[in-house]
Amino acid sequence: MKIVRVEAIPFAIPYAKPLRFASGEVHTADHVLVRVYTDEGLVGTAEAPPRPYTYGETQESIVAVIDKILAPQILGLTALEREAVHARLDRTVGNPTAKAAIDMALWDILGQTAGMPVSGLLGGYTDRMRVSHMVGFAPADEMVTEAERIRDTYGITTFKVKVGRRPYTEDVAACRALREALGDDIELYIDGNRGWSAAESARALREMADLGLIFAEELCPADDVLGRRWLVAQSPVPFIADESATRTGEVTRELLGGSATAISIKTARTGFTASQRVLHECEGLGAEVVMGNQIDGQIGTLCSVAFGAAHRWSTRHAGELSNFLDMTDDLLTEPLRIKDGTLRVREGAGLGIAIDPEKLDRYRKDR
């Protein structure tokens, strides 16, 4: 199972409607398909979604760092030598989604070799997850209409609401409208993408105290160290660190430093290997986790549900697994289906990723 080639293919698929949030907006899925080839003919597949406003990666930088730096360092190693692979990848600073895609592609190879689903290799706790849907910036009535459509069409009953606009009262009103329209049986939580100050965040939380929120995520920057600790200390709900806790060391720092009480795990940025380390650290400390969404396509979503469903601790809450619904198309031969508010893990060996060659030819940008 020696690695003989790593392929990074840039592709672009438009969104039916853009997702808008405090740190940016996305109109097109400018992602990178990553394939790892072995000398025995097995091919592992994953997806790298660049988020320049969060991690600094672009589609072009992911392709370049894989082609010129990461791939040459791991050729000749086997898919079993994951620690050796990561030791070499980690010589290069940053580039989290490029590294994560290589890691997940290697796990895909391991699953194919063993004739088992990757989710089973990771833990095999269950075969599905409840789904949470992200609602982006829009007028309050449009946010309500979208949430009602998603609930009625897919049975989803958990919604993550993007906040962080100014004045903050606009988002408070939107959350109140969602609660009034959807009723008390719906789970709501908010994500500020660092858009507010600590003081604005505290006022917003006080004014939403009667809405039954289950989490608050990244309402203000973690770099505002004292303000963030002050905010988290008074937060009435678990406070999620997402982009401020992307590695195990950062998770330790945020949790023990009082800057967060819960963690978002995104396989798109930590793959399966590092995500498992983060998950086990959180479980050991008693910190809640949520399977987050990197505005993933169906490939990335398939990876997220494979990991999330594999572990008991990550199935306690709905995973953010539905943003591919806003894309106009995808690369899989068999699209993902959300039914009764849940998404199932793909059966079969590996990750179950089968790419439609015609769609790849249509959307790839390197030809």
Side-chain angles (χ1 to χ4, degrees):
M1 294 191 297
K2 286 187 177 180
I3 301 168
V4 296
R5 181 186 172 202
V6 182
E7 184 179 33
I9 304 173
F11 66 93
I13 299 177
Y15 279 83
K17 69 177 187 63
L19 180 66
R20 295 186 170 92
F21 41 94
S23 58
E25 58 183 62
V26 176
H27 294 260
T28 303
D30 289 307
H31 294 182
V32 180
L33 180 69
V34 176
R35 287 168 162 167
V36 177
Y37 295 79
T38 72
D39 59 351
E40 296 184 358
L42 296 178
V43 182
T45 305
E47 178 182 33
R51 297 292 169 254
Y53 39 77
T54 306
Y55 311 115
E57 291 176 292
T58 65
Q59 187 179 60
E60 294 78 9
S61 76
I62 290 173
V63 172
V65 79
I66 290 177
D67 287 348
K68 298 180 179 179
I69 299 177
L70 302 182
Q73 294 186 75
I74 64 174
L75 296 180
L77 294 176
T78 73
L80 286 170
E81 298 176 286
R82 291 192 313 280
E83 286 294 309
V85 168
H86 280 281
R88 297 187 184 187
L89 296 182
D90 289 345
R91 295 170 185 169
T92 302
V93 176
N95 300 282
T97 66
K99 296 175 183 177
I102 292 173
D103 176 81
M104 291 187 289
L106 290 175
W107 276 93
D108 189 18
I109 291 169
L110 291 176
Q112 293 175 51
T113 302
M116 291 181 58
V118 168
S119 192
L121 292 177
L122 288 166
Y125 180 66
T126 184
D127 66 350
R128 70 196 70 193
M129 282 195 75
R130 290 189 298 120
V131 177
S132 169
H133 183 73
M134 287 198 292
V135 181
F137 289 171
D141 60 336
E142 293 180 17
M143 295 170 72
V144 168
T145 298
E146 178 188 357
E148 289 178 330
R149 177 181 64 83
I150 293 294
R151 178 198 59 189
D152 296 343
T153 304
Y154 302 101
I156 292 173
T157 57
T158 301
F159 293 90
K160 173 177 176 174
V161 186
K162 291 293 188 178
V163 299
R165 291 178 285 190
R166 289 191 170 99
Y168 74 90
T169 50
E170 182 177 2
D171 287 328
V172 172
C175 290
R176 190 165 298 282
L178 284 163
R179 174 56 76 200
E180 291 175 355
L182 299 174
D184 294 336
D185 294 334
I186 299 295
E187 292 184 328
L188 291 179
Y189 61 109
I190 57 175
D191 176 12
N193 292 110
R194 314 176 307 282
W196 288 332
S197 68
E200 289 171 316
S201 302
R203 288 196 293 270
L205 286 174
R206 284 196 298 271
E207 293 178 26
M208 290 189 281
D210 62 330
L211 297 186
L213 300 178
I214 61 170
F215 294 115
E217 179 178 320
E218 295 284 5
L219 299 185
C220 66
D223 287 347
D224 298 342
V225 178
L226 295 181
R228 173 78 164 248
R229 290 177 181 173
W230 170 82
L231 173 65
V232 173
Q234 62 180 293
S235 175
V237 295
F239 194 99
I240 297 174
D242 177 12
E243 53 264 41
S244 63
T246 63
R247 297 178 287 112
T248 52
E250 292 174 342
V251 170
T252 303
R253 180 195 65 202
E254 296 303 294
L255 292 176
L256 298 189
S259 294
T261 51
I263 298 294
S264 175
I265 296 177
K266 293 181 176 177
T267 56
R269 71 172 174 227
T270 40
F272 295 144
T273 302
S275 292
Q276 213 167 38
R277 292 170 181 160
V278 170
L279 177 71
H280 292 159
E281 180 178 5
C282 292
E283 185 174 6
L285 291 171
E288 300 275 13
V289 301
V290 171
M291 292 304 302
N293 192 299
Q294 198 82 353
I295 320 179
D296 302 311
Q298 293 192 27
I299 299 171
T301 301
L302 197 156
C303 292
S304 293
V305 72
F307 181 90
H311 304 92
R312 179 179 57 174
W313 199 255
S314 51
T315 59
R316 289 159 61 99
H317 301 287
E320 297 163 11
L321 304 168
S322 68
N323 277 90
F324 70 86
L325 295 174
D326 291 330
M327 292 175 63
T328 56
D329 204 351
D330 216 291
L331 299 182
L332 295 183
T333 57
E334 182 185 349
L336 299 183
R337 306 290 183 192
I338 297 172
K339 184 178 180 181
D340 298 328
T342 65
L343 182 63
R344 295 177 64 98
V345 174
R346 278 278 161 91
E347 297 179 352
L351 287 168
I353 297 173
I355 301 298
D356 185 321
E358 292 184 1
K359 289 186 176 183
L360 181 58
D361 285 342
R362 184 186 315 158
Y363 295 117
R364 65 188 301 167
K365 297 174 63 177
D366 58 349
R367 290 181 180 173

